[in-house]
Structure formats: structure tokens, C-alpha cells
């Protein structure tokens, strides 16, 4: 009797016309549809599964194009990880139905004013990979972060050059100039003649000197004298010009705004 009541109830809910159209909550399903559901206070509850990755049909036995399920798990490794949400199958893999184009992928990096780790986002603070939760640790290892997460403290992010390796830190906040950094300029000069020549030296009058055994000072007028050095043959002169510098490093910091950097490794 109970089974008969259920069958009768379902029959009352379904209106099937000559074209095999089905209406739930309506006696006049749209002629362009095979099924129309009409309700003002109910929704459609999809079957819930625990998917393992986008390229695996598990827990189903095989991929089936057009199949829809709601996944309840965060699982798998990049680029085949899955997250809770509505998925459809294209015959070879599961595809997340999402209107959120910013849905994070494993390895994504973002700047945020939040100071704590959240929703699968982990601070780039140099922490040991071994301290991460199991799934996050496996994802970190899978993208090449084996021992530690990179430490972005007091650093600016840059793209990888052809000869660089991912997640390696480098650069300096200060610059110290060395001789190799100076322009390749030769300063040269010389005297008018490098032949045998002399130099004149003039001593002017009015010189203070000590007399009386050095017990008093007196001003003595001396005659102006001009003397000439002996010829010294051909020779050169050296001029030293001190720079007055102290080798203080040049600060290399551009104008900046501080923030926290996070990497997405999943929950």
C-alpha cells in the first residue's frame, strides 16, 4: 500500500504529454524542453561525490560526457586538482563550473594586507615545507618547493630570467661602487717641456723668528729672495686629487608600499 501511494504521488507530480515532455510543478512544460521544473521555494540538489582529480573518473568507473555532479572535496595535485563545486564531465575529464575567473590555482601568488594564512594561502616567509598540512606540503613539493617556501620578507618580486631558477632570492638593497663601475676615462697632463729645466722659488720678507736663546719672539725684516733650483734633467710631475668620499653605499630602494605575499597551496 505504501509503495502504491508513492507511485501515485509521483504520477501526480509528473505531467507527460504526447511529446514525452515532463513537468515538475507545472502542468504545461515548455514545448522546447524535455523537462521543466517550476518552484518558488525549492532548488535542485545534485548528487554529491568526492572527486580525486580532474583527470580521474573516480569514484566512478569511467568518464561519461555530459555527466554532472557536485564535488565536496579538495584533492589532487596541480594542474589536476579539484575543489568543492559543481563539475561536469566532457568525456575525458571533470571541469569545474565556475563564474569566478579568479579561482586560485596551485602556485598562484598574491599580495594581501591580511597577516595570517587563510583558505589555502600560505605566507612566503621561508617556513619549512615539512610544517605544512599534508595536502599543501604535497602540492608545494609538486611545484618544486622541496625544503622551504621562498622568503619574500623585504623583497620585490621579479620574473625569472633565462639563466635563473624558480624561487631563488637575490639582489641587494644597497649598491657599493667599485673601480669596475667607474667610466673608462684616462685623465692625462704634463709640463710644457720634459727637457733639462729649473724652478724658481721666491721667499718674501717679514718673517717671525726666535732669538735670544728662544726666550722671546721678534719680527725681523728679511730681504725678498729668489732662488733657482739646480737643473734636474728630464723628469715628470704627479698630481693627486683626493675625492673626499667615504665609500657610503647607495640606497637602492625604489618608492614602495609594504604588503604580505602569499602562495596558494590548497587546503
Amino acid at each position: 500500500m505504501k509503495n502504491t501511494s508513492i507511485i501515485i504521488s509521483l504520477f501526480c507530480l509528473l505531467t507527460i504529454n504526447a511529446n514525452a515532455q515532463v513537468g515538475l510543478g507545472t502542468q504545461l512544460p515548455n514545448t522546447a524542453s524535455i523537462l521543466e521544473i517550476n518552484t518558488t521555494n525549492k532548488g535542485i540538489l545534485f548528487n554529491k561525490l568526492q572527486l580525486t582529480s580532474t583527470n580521474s573518473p573516480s569514484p566512478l568507473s569511467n568518464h561519461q560526457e555530459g555527466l554532472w555532479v557536485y564535488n565536496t572535496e579538495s584533492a589532487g595535485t596541480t594542474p589536476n586538482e579539484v575543489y568543492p563545486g559543481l563539475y561536469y564531465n566532457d568525456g575525458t575529464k571533470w571541469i569545474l563550473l565556475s563564474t569566478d575567473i579568479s579561482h586560485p590555482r596551485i602556485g598562484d601568488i598574491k599580495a594581501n594586507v591580511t597577516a595570517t594564512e587563510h583558505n589555502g594561502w600560505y605566507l612566503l616567509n621561508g617556513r619549512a615545507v615539512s610544517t605544512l598540512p599534508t595536502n599543501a606540503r604535497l602540492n608545494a613539493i609538486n611545484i618544486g618547493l622541496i625544503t622551504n617556501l621562498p622568503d619574500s620578507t623585504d623583497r620585490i618580486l621579479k620574473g625569472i630570467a633565462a639563466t635563473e631558477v624558480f624561487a631563488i632570492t637575490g639582489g641587494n638593497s644597497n649598491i657599493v661602487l667599485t673601480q669596475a663601475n667607474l667610466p673608462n676615462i684616462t685623465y692625462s697632463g704634463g709640463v710644457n717641456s720634459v727637457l733639462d729645466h729649473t724652478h724658481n722659488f721666491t721667499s718674501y720678507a717679514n718673517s717671525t723668528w726666535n732669538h735670544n736663546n728662544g726666550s722671546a719672539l721678534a719680527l725681523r725684516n728679511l730681504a725678498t729672495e729668489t732662488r733657482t733650483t739646480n737643473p734636474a734633467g728630464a723628469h715628470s710631475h704627479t698630481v693627486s686629487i683626493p675625492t673626499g668620499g667615504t665609500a657610503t653605499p647607495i640606497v637602492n630602494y625604489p618608492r614602495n608600499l609594504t604588503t604580505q605575499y602569499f602562495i596558494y597551496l590548497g587546503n
Side-chain angles (χ1 to χ4, degrees):
M1 182 66 182
K2 184 175 181 181
N3 291 338
T4 301
S5 299
I6 294 174
I7 293 173
I8 293 174
S9 298
L10 289 174
F11 182 80
C12 292
L13 290 173
L14 301 177
T15 300
I16 306 177
N17 62 18
N19 293 323
Q21 294 166 320
V22 178
L24 298 180
T26 178
Q27 294 183 354
L28 298 172
N30 190 286
T31 57
S33 69
I34 192 172
L35 171 66
E36 180 179 345
I37 301 174
N38 192 323
T39 178
T40 58
N41 58 1
K42 297 291 189 296
I44 299 175
L45 186 61
F46 281 84
N47 185 40
K48 298 177 182 177
L49 297 179
Q50 294 181 352
L51 300 180
T52 58
S53 68
T54 57
N55 59 350
S56 171
S58 179
L60 306 181
S61 59
N62 53 67
H63 290 291
Q64 181 61 52
E65 184 178 3
L67 190 66
W68 291 74
V69 299
Y70 186 88
N71 174 51
T72 60
E73 292 296 309
S74 293
T77 56
T78 188
N80 301 308
E81 65 270 25
V82 292
Y83 310 96
L86 189 62
Y87 281 78
Y88 68 92
N89 198 291
D90 69 352
T92 60
K93 62 183 178 300
W94 295 104
I95 300 175
L96 175 64
L97 181 65
S98 175
T99 58
D100 182 7
I101 60 175
S102 63
H103 188 81
R105 306 278 295 184
I106 300 299
D108 282 355
I109 292 176
K110 73 173 182 179
N112 198 287
V113 297
T114 304
T116 57
E117 296 170 345
H118 55 281
N119 302 326
W121 291 95
Y122 294 87
L123 279 168
L124 289 174
N125 58 2
R127 69 183 289 182
V129 171
S130 61
T131 64
L132 296 171
T134 301
N135 194 51
R137 181 173 69 253
L138 293 176
N139 286 331
I141 294 173
N142 191 56
I143 61 175
L145 303 177
I146 309 301
T147 306
N148 294 84
L149 297 184
D151 189 353
S152 65
T153 303
D154 205 24
R155 292 189 178 276
I156 299 172
L157 301 186
K158 69 176 288 292
I160 299 176
T163 58
E164 292 178 321
V165 180
F166 166 64
I168 297 299
T169 57
N172 295 288
S173 57
N174 294 326
I175 299 175
V176 177
L177 294 179
T178 64
Q179 185 179 18
N181 301 124
L182 299 178
N184 185 19
I185 299 175
T186 300
Y187 295 97
S188 61
V191 295
N192 291 332
S193 174
V194 295
L195 301 177
D196 194 13
H197 62 279
T198 62
H199 296 271
N200 293 329
F201 170 76
T202 301
S203 174
Y204 295 93
N206 296 334
S207 175
T208 301
W209 68 306
N210 293 327
H211 65 96
N212 294 330
N213 297 323
S215 60
L217 293 176
L219 181 64
R220 180 184 178 187
N221 294 324
L222 300 175
T224 299
E225 299 179 1
T226 298
R227 297 189 179 185
T228 301
T229 61
N230 292 326
H235 61 280
S236 62
H237 297 268
T238 300
V239 178
S240 298
I241 305 175
T243 64
T246 58
T248 301
I250 300 172
V251 177
N252 194 33
Y253 264 84
R255 298 175 69 88
N256 57 76
L257 172 68
T258 58
T259 186
Q260 300 279 5
Y261 283 113
F262 294 81
I263 186 170
Y264 186 75
L265 297 173
N267 295 311

